[in-house]
Amino acid sequence: MRCKLKGRIIVITSGKGGVGKTTATASIGAALALEGKRVAVVDMDIGLRNLDVVMGLENRIVFNIVDVVNGKCKPSQAAIRDRRIENLFLIPASQSDNKDVLTPAGMERVGKLLKKEFDYVLMDSPAGIDRGFENAVVSADEAVVICTPDVAAVRDADRVIGLLYARSITPKLLVNRIVPEMVANGDMLSHEDVIDVLSVPLVGLVPMDQQVIISSNVGLPLVMQNDSTAGQAFRRIARRINGESDLSIQVPHHQKGMWGMLASKFGKKE
Amino acid sequence: MGTNDMSPVKLKGVGDGFWITVDPQAPEETIKEHLILLFQRLRHLAINARVTLDMGGAPGCDELVAHLTVFLKKTFKVGVVTLPLEKRSIPVERTRQRDLSRGWKYHRSDVLMLQGRVRSGQKIESRKHIVIMGNVNPGAELLAGGHVIVLGQLRGRVHAGGSDDETATVFALEFRPTHVQIGGVSSAGLDEKAHGNAQIAVVEKGRIVVQSCLESNLFDALPWPEVM
């Protein structure tokens, strides 16, 4: 298993915007790099780049993915090494172009180059299912679909899963931003409800965590913070992606108050 | 209807009598005029003859038949006036005999049968009946020319019976569609409480009615399995 084979390209996508694709890409990328793998995260959201900000690398950008595809530089020149994690590299998006400057054919070629240099290439797909999505997906071997437990996100994820199946990629599902209290009260879809509709293999469940906003604003890797529940969940997801498929999936649970604990201790019904 | 260019009455000799084919849509007077023309040429042959009145199987023309019978007997002294033998009873009987002995072994199906999950954004369109063994997710669409049967959850949009067939039905093991249309009748926002079990939607009096499949007596009126 340890011998270096060809790398894997994993696209992180969702259909709907704002469900946590960029955070997930940065976190899973960092966690895989901490596992000792050589990882590149590629921001495919051309024109609306923000993976660089989340990773705290925005002032070190020289080249971007559009330059790589257009042959202005080599992938290794565009890849920015992370400040803290040795094996983690970012290939940023261009902020001034739009997504139509890239073609699926160009991305496929670059994907092959990246596979030679990295163990894992994570593609942060833009929202939507148009050209940008196509560019992100075209070279991917695997896909992780991010979905939050709400009806709109589930529907969009369902559409994306259909499109990925049409490209004969079986995606894995990551349910993000679970609020266990709301699930317990029946105010939020549970992850079972989401899986029930989407019926694809689950790769992990991530709870809602305020630490996410703080760390993406200051550009610190979430997975390096031990007090972050979301960060811990992403580390487990990365281990699962990295071959530990029998690692159990932890369901974020509702921390009951003292009275709730007493009630369950004494076997109160309801 | 315009039957000016074609005679509403046709006559031919069969065995021991005459077979008269009548267009029941023509006015009675016109039919009589044409009968007179034909029978005048027959002269004495018409007397005491056996006449069979074939109305082309059209329903609701008993009165016309009675009038014509009296008219023919009085005017031309024909012997017996009968209707053609009940044609439909023979094929029905034969069909049932065949079903008993061989079933529908050689019947070719008009069903599009699919297995697997229908996802958001997917649209299944067919002029046949549609059977889905699997779930239909929110945002998916089924468009059938005939009936729709979902052996699973139905949560998408469904349109049965094409644009005009309101006898079509929609059945699902878990009936929770966002929108149902049968023929030209549509309905959205179905009652939330009734959801969750095997239900069937039909059109009754111009409205879509959803009822529990086990409790409804939709099919009790049919004594014999029929091909849809």
Side-chain angles (χ1 to χ4, degrees):
Chain A
M1 285 296 286
R2 300 295 290 171
C3 69
K4 193 172 172 185
L5 295 167
K6 246 171 113 184
R8 289 155 67 187
I9 300 186
I10 303 174
V11 61
I12 301 201
T13 183
S14 71
K16 191 174 177 298
V19 296
K21 287 181 295 294
T22 302
T23 311
T25 309
S27 303
I28 296 172
L32 282 169
L34 289 174
E35 295 282 314
K37 298 288 175 185
R38 202 174 149 82
V39 181
V41 291
V42 184
D43 192 349
M44 290 301 294
D45 203 348
I46 312 297
L48 291 170
R49 77 166 175 224
N50 40 34
L51 187 56
D52 52 329
V53 179
V54 171
M55 293 174 71
L57 300 171
E58 69 268 31
N59 48 19
R60 292 166 56 184
I61 295 172
V62 182
F63 293 113
N64 58 47
I65 185 72
V66 176
D67 297 326
V68 179
V69 174
N70 291 341
K72 283 190 188 161
C73 68
K74 285 187 276 185
S76 56
Q77 288 174 295
I80 306 164
R81 188 189 292 269
D82 190 77
R83 282 180 295 183
R84 294 171 194 80
I85 304 168
E86 181 83 355
N87 291 325
L88 183 61
F89 296 84
L90 165 73
I91 299 180
S94 157
Q95 181 69 355
S96 51
D97 295 301
N98 72 45
K99 58 183 181 285
D100 296 327
V101 300
L102 294 186
T103 59
M107 271 315 294
E108 205 167 0
R109 187 170 47 80
V110 171
K112 279 179 191 155
L113 294 178
L114 290 172
K115 268 187 184 185
K116 284 181 193 159
E117 291 188 34
F118 298 96
D119 298 323
Y120 286 99
V121 180
L122 302 184
M123 298 273 185
D124 180 22
S125 146
I129 51 169
D130 48 10
R131 181 74 167 271
F133 169 79
E134 210 177 315
N135 287 335
V137 165
V138 67
S139 58
D141 305 305
E142 292 163 49
V144 173
V145 173
I146 315 272
C147 182
T148 52
D150 62 271
V151 176
V154 170
R155 185 172 295 189
D156 290 1
D158 193 27
R159 177 91 170 104
V160 163
I161 289 167
L163 294 173
L164 290 168
Y165 270 117
R167 294 172 172 272
S168 54
I169 299 173
T170 303
K172 293 195 178 86
L173 178 67
L174 190 160
V175 185
N176 198 8
R177 294 216 192 120
I178 299 171
V179 184
E181 290 87 348
M182 289 179 75
V183 176
N185 294 336
D187 296 327
M188 184 180 255
L189 295 176
S190 71
H191 68 275
E192 282 109 343
D193 295 333
V194 177
I195 296 164
D196 184 38
V197 171
L198 301 179
S199 70
V200 286
L202 189 66
V203 75
L205 305 171
V206 180
M208 187 78 155
D209 185 1
Q210 293 183 347
Q211 205 71 44
V212 173
I213 297 167
I214 300 168
S215 74
S216 62
N217 280 340
V218 298
L220 276 170
L222 192 63
V223 291
M224 287 178 88
Q225 297 170 26
N226 287 329
D227 56 338
S228 161
T229 50
Q232 297 308 308
F234 278 122
R235 287 202 79 156
R236 291 176 69 84
I237 289 164
R239 284 168 65 190
R240 219 168 277 126
I241 289 173
N242 194 24
E244 291 182 52
S245 53
D246 49 350
L247 188 68
S248 69
I249 286 172
Q250 272 184 350
V251 180
H253 56 275
H254 172 37
Q255 211 83 39
K256 285 178 187 166
M258 193 179 75
W259 292 111
M261 296 246 281
L262 280 176
S264 59
K265 268 271 191 308
F266 290 102
K268 189 184 159 196
K269 296 282 187 303
E270 288 178 354
Chain B
M1 302 297 254
T3 48
N4 298 333
D5 46 342
M6 268 178 55
S7 167
V9 179
K10 280 177 192 157
L11 183 141
K12 65 177 178 181
V14 282
D16 54 346
F18 299 104
W19 186 285
I20 303 174
T21 314
V22 180
D23 178 5
Q25 282 179 330
E28 195 178 322
E29 292 308 314
T30 324
I31 294 171
K32 281 182 179 170
E33 277 170 29
H34 281 86
L35 280 174
I36 292 170
L37 281 177
L38 288 167
F39 272 80
Q40 274 175 346
R41 269 189 265 161
L42 291 171
R43 296 188 201 148
H44 66 278
L45 285 176
I47 297 166
N48 239 353
R50 270 180 90 87
V51 174
T52 309
L53 275 179
D54 182 2
M55 312 302 283
C61 45
D62 299 344
E63 206 179 328
L64 180 62
V65 171
H67 286 176
L68 291 180
T69 307
V70 174
F71 170 74
L72 286 174
K73 281 186 176 172
K74 272 197 174 168
T75 324
F76 301 107
K77 301 191 179 77
V78 299
V80 200
V81 180
T82 54
L83 287 171
L85 284 172
E86 196 64 48
K87 252 188 176 175
R88 268 169 298 166
S89 71
I90 299 167
V92 166
E93 202 168 305
R94 210 178 279 162
T95 310
R96 291 187 178 178
Q97 289 293 333
R98 190 195 65 191
D99 295 345
L100 261 185
S101 56
R102 288 188 299 165
W104 287 268
K105 200 170 172 183
Y106 300 105
H107 179 74
R108 286 183 59 188
S109 169
D110 290 322
V111 179
L112 172 69
M113 198 159 173
L114 303 171
Q115 58 180 349
R117 186 176 285 267
V118 187
R119 293 187 182 274
S120 173
Q122 290 179 334
K123 190 174 180 179
I124 293 174
E125 213 170 346
S126 170
R127 282 190 294 180
K128 304 174 177 181
H129 310 300
I130 295 180
V131 176
I132 309 274
M133 310 232 304
N135 296 348
V136 178
N137 279 3
E141 263 185 275
L142 304 179
L143 290 110
H147 302 261
V148 173
I149 295 174
V150 178
L151 299 173
Q153 299 168 338
L154 171 57
R155 300 199 199 171
R157 285 172 67 95
V158 57
H159 183 168
S163 57
D164 53 358
D165 181 7
E166 290 175 6
T167 60
T169 59
V170 178
F171 169 80
L173 285 184
E174 193 180 322
F175 196 89
R176 292 164 67 185
T178 50
H179 184 103
V180 181
Q181 185 170 351
I182 297 177
V185 186
S186 68
S187 161
L190 293 158
D191 188 12
E192 282 285 332
K193 278 176 276 176
H195 285 166
N197 52 1
Q199 288 181 315
I200 188 161
V202 293
V203 173
E204 266 178 27
K205 293 174 190 147
R207 293 176 60 215
I208 289 184
V209 179
V210 182
Q211 45 198 318
S212 164
C213 198
L214 294 176
E215 286 163 22
S216 79
N217 47 9
L218 281 175
F219 305 110
D220 292 359
L222 304 174
W224 193 266
E226 286 172 14
V227 172
M228 293 203 292

Short mmCIF file of all heavy atoms in Angstrom, two decimals, chain A residues 169-216:
data_model
loop_
_atom_site.label_atom_id
_atom_site.label_comp_id
_atom_site.label_asym_id
_atom_site.label_seq_id
_atom_site.Cartn_x
_atom_site.Cartn_y
_atom_site.Cartn_z
N ILE A 169 -18.80 8.04 -12.12
CA ILE A 169 -18.10 8.24 -10.85
C ILE A 169 -19.12 7.97 -9.75
O ILE A 169 -20.22 8.53 -9.79
CB ILE A 169 -17.60 9.70 -10.71
CG1 ILE A 169 -16.61 10.04 -11.83
CG2 ILE A 169 -16.98 9.93 -9.35
CD1 ILE A 169 -16.21 11.51 -11.85
N THR A 170 -18.80 7.09 -8.82
CA THR A 170 -19.69 6.88 -7.68
C THR A 170 -19.25 7.82 -6.57
O THR A 170 -18.17 7.64 -6.00
CB THR A 170 -19.63 5.43 -7.18
OG1 THR A 170 -19.97 4.59 -8.28
CG2 THR A 170 -20.61 5.20 -6.05
N PRO A 171 -20.05 8.85 -6.29
CA PRO A 171 -19.59 9.82 -5.31
C PRO A 171 -19.77 9.32 -3.88
O PRO A 171 -20.53 8.38 -3.64
CB PRO A 171 -20.51 11.01 -5.57
CG PRO A 171 -21.72 10.44 -6.18
CD PRO A 171 -21.35 9.17 -6.86
N LYS A 172 -19.03 9.95 -2.97
CA LYS A 172 -19.24 9.69 -1.54
C LYS A 172 -19.90 10.93 -0.96
O LYS A 172 -19.71 12.04 -1.44
CB LYS A 172 -17.90 9.42 -0.87
CG LYS A 172 -17.25 8.13 -1.35
CD LYS A 172 -16.13 7.75 -0.40
CE LYS A 172 -15.49 6.43 -0.79
NZ LYS A 172 -14.41 6.62 -1.80
N LEU A 173 -20.64 10.71 0.09
CA LEU A 173 -21.43 11.80 0.67
C LEU A 173 -20.82 12.28 1.97
O LEU A 173 -20.41 11.49 2.81
CB LEU A 173 -22.86 11.30 0.93
CG LEU A 173 -23.81 12.30 1.58
CD1 LEU A 173 -24.09 13.46 0.64
CD2 LEU A 173 -25.10 11.62 1.97
N LEU A 174 -20.74 13.60 2.10
CA LEU A 174 -20.32 14.21 3.36
C LEU A 174 -21.45 15.12 3.82
O LEU A 174 -21.82 16.04 3.10
CB LEU A 174 -19.02 15.00 3.12
CG LEU A 174 -18.25 15.53 4.34
CD1 LEU A 174 -16.82 15.83 3.94
CD2 LEU A 174 -18.86 16.75 4.96
N VAL A 175 -22.01 14.84 4.96
CA VAL A 175 -23.07 15.70 5.48
C VAL A 175 -22.44 16.70 6.43
O VAL A 175 -21.84 16.34 7.43
CB VAL A 175 -24.19 14.89 6.17
CG1 VAL A 175 -25.32 15.81 6.57
CG2 VAL A 175 -24.70 13.80 5.25
N ASN A 176 -22.58 17.97 6.09
CA ASN A 176 -21.89 19.04 6.80
C ASN A 176 -22.90 19.84 7.62
O ASN A 176 -24.08 19.84 7.33
CB ASN A 176 -21.22 19.95 5.76
CG ASN A 176 -20.14 20.82 6.35
OD1 ASN A 176 -19.77 20.66 7.50
ND2 ASN A 176 -19.63 21.73 5.56
N ARG A 177 -22.38 20.52 8.63
CA ARG A 177 -23.17 21.47 9.43
C ARG A 177 -24.37 20.82 10.10
O ARG A 177 -25.48 21.34 10.03
CB ARG A 177 -23.68 22.61 8.56
CG ARG A 177 -22.57 23.45 8.04
CD ARG A 177 -23.00 24.89 7.98
NE ARG A 177 -22.00 25.60 7.22
CZ ARG A 177 -22.24 26.26 6.10
NH1 ARG A 177 -23.47 26.32 5.66
NH2 ARG A 177 -21.28 26.84 5.47
N ILE A 178 -24.14 19.69 10.72
CA ILE A 178 -25.22 19.06 11.48
C ILE A 178 -25.31 19.74 12.84
O ILE A 178 -24.30 19.94 13.51
CB ILE A 178 -24.94 17.56 11.65
CG1 ILE A 178 -24.88 16.90 10.28
CG2 ILE A 178 -25.99 16.90 12.53
CD1 ILE A 178 -24.41 15.47 10.30
N VAL A 179 -26.51 20.13 13.22
CA VAL A 179 -26.73 20.69 14.56
C VAL A 179 -27.49 19.64 15.35
O VAL A 179 -28.69 19.46 15.18
CB VAL A 179 -27.53 22.00 14.50
CG1 VAL A 179 -27.66 22.61 15.89
CG2 VAL A 179 -26.88 22.98 13.54
N PRO A 180 -26.79 18.88 16.20
CA PRO A 180 -27.43 17.73 16.86
C PRO A 180 -28.67 18.12 17.67
O PRO A 180 -29.64 17.36 17.70
CB PRO A 180 -26.33 17.19 17.77
CG PRO A 180 -25.07 17.70 17.19
CD PRO A 180 -25.37 19.01 16.57
N GLU A 181 -28.64 19.30 18.30
CA GLU A 181 -29.80 19.72 19.09
C GLU A 181 -31.03 19.84 18.20
O GLU A 181 -32.12 19.40 18.56
CB GLU A 181 -29.55 21.09 19.76
CG GLU A 181 -28.52 21.06 20.87
CD GLU A 181 -27.10 21.24 20.36
OE1 GLU A 181 -26.90 21.15 19.12
OE2 GLU A 181 -26.19 21.44 21.18
N MET A 182 -30.84 20.47 17.04
CA MET A 182 -31.98 20.66 16.14
C MET A 182 -32.47 19.33 15.58
O MET A 182 -33.66 19.14 15.39
CB MET A 182 -31.61 21.61 15.00
CG MET A 182 -31.45 23.04 15.46
SD MET A 182 -30.99 24.12 14.09
CE MET A 182 -32.54 24.25 13.23
N VAL A 183 -31.53 18.43 15.32
CA VAL A 183 -31.93 17.11 14.83
C VAL A 183 -32.74 16.40 15.91
O VAL A 183 -33.80 15.81 15.64
CB VAL A 183 -30.70 16.27 14.44
CG1 VAL A 183 -31.11 14.86 14.03
CG2 VAL A 183 -29.95 16.93 13.30
N ALA A 184 -32.27 16.50 17.18
CA ALA A 184 -32.96 15.83 18.29
C ALA A 184 -34.37 16.39 18.47
O ALA A 184 -35.31 15.66 18.80
CB ALA A 184 -32.16 15.99 19.57
N ASN A 185 -34.52 17.71 18.21
CA ASN A 185 -35.85 18.30 18.35
C ASN A 185 -36.72 18.12 17.12
O ASN A 185 -37.86 18.57 17.09
CB ASN A 185 -35.72 19.81 18.62
CG ASN A 185 -35.07 20.08 19.95
OD1 ASN A 185 -35.12 19.23 20.84
ND2 ASN A 185 -34.44 21.24 20.08
N GLY A 186 -36.17 17.53 16.10
CA GLY A 186 -36.93 17.34 14.87
C GLY A 186 -37.03 18.57 14.00
O GLY A 186 -37.86 18.65 13.11
N ASP A 187 -36.15 19.57 14.25
CA ASP A 187 -36.19 20.79 13.44
C ASP A 187 -35.25 20.72 12.24
O ASP A 187 -35.25 21.60 11.39
CB ASP A 187 -35.80 22.00 14.30
CG ASP A 187 -36.80 22.23 15.41
OD1 ASP A 187 -37.99 21.94 15.18
OD2 ASP A 187 -36.39 22.67 16.50
N MET A 188 -34.41 19.71 12.20
CA MET A 188 -33.44 19.59 11.10
C MET A 188 -33.50 18.17 10.59
O MET A 188 -33.78 17.24 11.36
CB MET A 188 -32.05 19.92 11.64
CG MET A 188 -30.96 19.93 10.61
SD MET A 188 -29.36 20.32 11.35
CE MET A 188 -29.14 22.01 10.82
N LEU A 189 -33.27 18.01 9.30
CA LEU A 189 -33.19 16.65 8.74
C LEU A 189 -32.04 15.92 9.42
O LEU A 189 -31.00 16.51 9.67
CB LEU A 189 -32.90 16.72 7.24
CG LEU A 189 -33.93 17.33 6.31
CD1 LEU A 189 -33.35 17.37 4.90
CD2 LEU A 189 -35.21 16.52 6.31
N SER A 190 -32.23 14.67 9.73
CA SER A 190 -31.11 13.91 10.27
C SER A 190 -30.27 13.38 9.12
O SER A 190 -30.71 13.41 7.97
CB SER A 190 -31.63 12.75 11.11
OG SER A 190 -32.20 11.78 10.27
N HIS A 191 -29.06 12.93 9.44
CA HIS A 191 -28.23 12.43 8.34
C HIS A 191 -28.86 11.19 7.70
O HIS A 191 -28.66 10.93 6.52
CB HIS A 191 -26.81 12.15 8.83
CG HIS A 191 -26.69 11.01 9.77
ND1 HIS A 191 -26.90 11.14 11.12
CD2 HIS A 191 -26.43 9.70 9.56
CE1 HIS A 191 -26.75 9.96 11.69
NE2 HIS A 191 -26.47 9.07 10.77
N GLU A 192 -29.68 10.47 8.48
CA GLU A 192 -30.38 9.31 7.89
C GLU A 192 -31.35 9.76 6.81
O GLU A 192 -31.47 9.12 5.76
CB GLU A 192 -31.15 8.53 8.95
CG GLU A 192 -30.29 7.62 9.83
CD GLU A 192 -30.16 8.15 11.23
OE1 GLU A 192 -30.48 9.36 11.42
OE2 GLU A 192 -29.75 7.40 12.12
N ASP A 193 -32.05 10.88 7.08
CA ASP A 193 -32.99 11.39 6.08
C ASP A 193 -32.26 11.74 4.79
O ASP A 193 -32.74 11.50 3.69
CB ASP A 193 -33.71 12.64 6.60
CG ASP A 193 -34.58 12.33 7.80
OD1 ASP A 193 -35.04 11.19 7.90
OD2 ASP A 193 -34.80 13.24 8.63
N VAL A 194 -31.09 12.36 4.95
CA VAL A 194 -30.32 12.78 3.78
C VAL A 194 -29.85 11.57 2.99
O VAL A 194 -30.00 11.50 1.77
CB VAL A 194 -29.11 13.65 4.22
CG1 VAL A 194 -28.26 14.03 3.02
CG2 VAL A 194 -29.59 14.89 4.94
N ILE A 195 -29.34 10.58 3.71
CA ILE A 195 -28.84 9.36 3.04
C ILE A 195 -30.00 8.63 2.38
O ILE A 195 -29.86 8.06 1.28
CB ILE A 195 -28.11 8.45 4.04
CG1 ILE A 195 -26.88 9.17 4.57
CG2 ILE A 195 -27.70 7.13 3.39
CD1 ILE A 195 -26.31 8.55 5.81
N ASP A 196 -31.15 8.68 3.04
CA ASP A 196 -32.34 8.01 2.52
C ASP A 196 -32.69 8.52 1.11
O ASP A 196 -33.06 7.76 0.23
CB ASP A 196 -33.50 8.28 3.50
CG ASP A 196 -34.75 7.54 3.11
OD1 ASP A 196 -34.60 6.40 2.66
OD2 ASP A 196 -35.84 8.10 3.24
N VAL A 197 -32.54 9.82 0.91
CA VAL A 197 -32.84 10.38 -0.40
C VAL A 197 -31.67 10.16 -1.37
O VAL A 197 -31.88 9.78 -2.52
CB VAL A 197 -33.15 11.90 -0.28
CG1 VAL A 197 -33.25 12.52 -1.65
CG2 VAL A 197 -34.43 12.10 0.50
N LEU A 198 -30.46 10.38 -0.90
CA LEU A 198 -29.33 10.41 -1.83
C LEU A 198 -28.75 9.01 -2.10
O LEU A 198 -28.21 8.77 -3.17
CB LEU A 198 -28.24 11.33 -1.30
CG LEU A 198 -28.69 12.79 -1.11
CD1 LEU A 198 -27.55 13.63 -0.56
CD2 LEU A 198 -29.18 13.39 -2.41
N SER A 199 -28.85 8.13 -1.14
CA SER A 199 -28.40 6.74 -1.25
C SER A 199 -27.05 6.58 -1.95
O SER A 199 -26.94 5.91 -2.97
CB SER A 199 -29.45 5.86 -1.91
OG SER A 199 -29.59 6.15 -3.27
N VAL A 200 -26.05 7.24 -1.40
CA VAL A 200 -24.67 6.99 -1.84
C VAL A 200 -23.85 6.70 -0.57
O VAL A 200 -24.28 7.06 0.53
CB VAL A 200 -24.07 8.20 -2.60
CG1 VAL A 200 -24.65 8.32 -3.98
CG2 VAL A 200 -24.23 9.48 -1.84
N PRO A 201 -22.69 6.06 -0.72
CA PRO A 201 -21.91 5.73 0.47
C PRO A 201 -21.52 6.99 1.24
O PRO A 201 -21.15 8.00 0.65
CB PRO A 201 -20.66 5.04 -0.10
CG PRO A 201 -20.99 4.69 -1.48
CD PRO A 201 -22.08 5.57 -1.95
N LEU A 202 -21.59 6.89 2.54
CA LEU A 202 -21.27 8.03 3.40
C LEU A 202 -19.79 8.02 3.71
O LEU A 202 -19.21 6.98 3.98
CB LEU A 202 -22.09 7.90 4.70
CG LEU A 202 -22.07 9.07 5.66
CD1 LEU A 202 -22.75 10.27 5.03
CD2 LEU A 202 -22.77 8.70 6.94
N VAL A 203 -19.17 9.21 3.68
CA VAL A 203 -17.75 9.29 4.03
C VAL A 203 -17.57 9.98 5.38
O VAL A 203 -16.54 9.82 6.03
CB VAL A 203 -16.92 9.96 2.91
CG1 VAL A 203 -17.13 11.45 2.88
CG2 VAL A 203 -15.46 9.62 3.02
N GLY A 204 -18.57 10.71 5.82
CA GLY A 204 -18.43 11.32 7.14
C GLY A 204 -19.51 12.33 7.45
O GLY A 204 -20.21 12.80 6.56
N LEU A 205 -19.63 12.62 8.76
CA LEU A 205 -20.61 13.58 9.24
C LEU A 205 -19.86 14.67 9.99
O LEU A 205 -19.01 14.36 10.83
CB LEU A 205 -21.61 12.90 10.18
CG LEU A 205 -22.32 11.67 9.60
CD1 LEU A 205 -23.09 10.97 10.70
CD2 LEU A 205 -23.26 12.09 8.50
N VAL A 206 -20.15 15.91 9.66
CA VAL A 206 -19.43 17.02 10.28
C VAL A 206 -20.42 17.89 11.04
O VAL A 206 -21.41 18.35 10.46
CB VAL A 206 -18.69 17.86 9.22
CG1 VAL A 206 -17.94 19.00 9.87
CG2 VAL A 206 -17.75 17.00 8.42
N PRO A 207 -20.19 18.12 12.32
CA PRO A 207 -21.12 18.97 13.07
C PRO A 207 -20.89 20.45 12.79
O PRO A 207 -19.82 20.85 12.32
CB PRO A 207 -20.79 18.63 14.52
CG PRO A 207 -19.37 18.21 14.50
CD PRO A 207 -19.12 17.59 13.16
N MET A 208 -21.89 21.24 13.08
CA MET A 208 -21.76 22.70 13.02
C MET A 208 -20.74 23.12 14.06
O MET A 208 -20.73 22.60 15.17
CB MET A 208 -23.13 23.28 13.38
CG MET A 208 -23.22 24.77 13.20
SD MET A 208 -23.41 25.14 11.46
CE MET A 208 -24.20 26.71 11.57
N ASP A 209 -19.85 24.03 13.66
CA ASP A 209 -18.77 24.42 14.58
C ASP A 209 -18.40 25.88 14.33
O ASP A 209 -18.05 26.24 13.21
CB ASP A 209 -17.57 23.49 14.34
CG ASP A 209 -16.46 23.73 15.34
OD1 ASP A 209 -16.63 24.60 16.22
OD2 ASP A 209 -15.42 23.06 15.23
N GLN A 210 -18.48 26.69 15.36
CA GLN A 210 -18.16 28.12 15.19
C GLN A 210 -16.68 28.32 14.88
O GLN A 210 -16.29 29.32 14.30
CB GLN A 210 -18.52 28.87 16.47
CG GLN A 210 -20.02 28.89 16.70
CD GLN A 210 -20.39 29.69 17.93
OE1 GLN A 210 -19.54 30.02 18.74
NE2 GLN A 210 -21.67 29.98 18.03
N GLN A 211 -15.88 27.36 15.27
CA GLN A 211 -14.44 27.43 15.03
C GLN A 211 -14.13 27.54 13.53
O GLN A 211 -13.11 28.11 13.16
CB GLN A 211 -13.82 26.16 15.60
CG GLN A 211 -12.37 26.28 15.98
CD GLN A 211 -12.18 27.13 17.21
OE1 GLN A 211 -12.91 26.98 18.18
NE2 GLN A 211 -11.21 28.03 17.18
N VAL A 212 -15.04 27.02 12.69
CA VAL A 212 -14.81 27.02 11.25
C VAL A 212 -14.68 28.45 10.74
O VAL A 212 -13.77 28.78 9.98
CB VAL A 212 -15.97 26.30 10.52
CG1 VAL A 212 -15.83 26.44 9.02
CG2 VAL A 212 -16.00 24.83 10.91
N ILE A 213 -15.59 29.31 11.19
CA ILE A 213 -15.59 30.69 10.72
C ILE A 213 -14.33 31.41 11.19
O ILE A 213 -13.66 32.11 10.42
CB ILE A 213 -16.86 31.41 11.22
CG1 ILE A 213 -18.09 30.72 10.63
CG2 ILE A 213 -16.84 32.88 10.83
CD1 ILE A 213 -19.38 31.11 11.26
N ILE A 214 -13.98 31.18 12.45
CA ILE A 214 -12.78 31.83 13.00
C ILE A 214 -11.55 31.39 12.22
O ILE A 214 -10.77 32.22 11.75
CB ILE A 214 -12.63 31.47 14.50
CG1 ILE A 214 -13.87 31.93 15.27
CG2 ILE A 214 -11.36 32.08 15.07
CD1 ILE A 214 -13.96 31.38 16.67
N SER A 215 -11.40 30.10 12.04
CA SER A 215 -10.16 29.64 11.42
C SER A 215 -10.10 30.00 9.95
O SER A 215 -9.02 30.24 9.42
CB SER A 215 -9.99 28.13 11.63
OG SER A 215 -10.87 27.44 10.81
N SER A 216 -11.24 30.07 9.25
CA SER A 216 -11.13 30.45 7.84
C SER A 216 -10.87 31.94 7.70
O SER A 216 -10.26 32.37 6.72
CB SER A 216 -12.37 30.01 7.06
OG SER A 216 -13.51 30.64 7.57
#
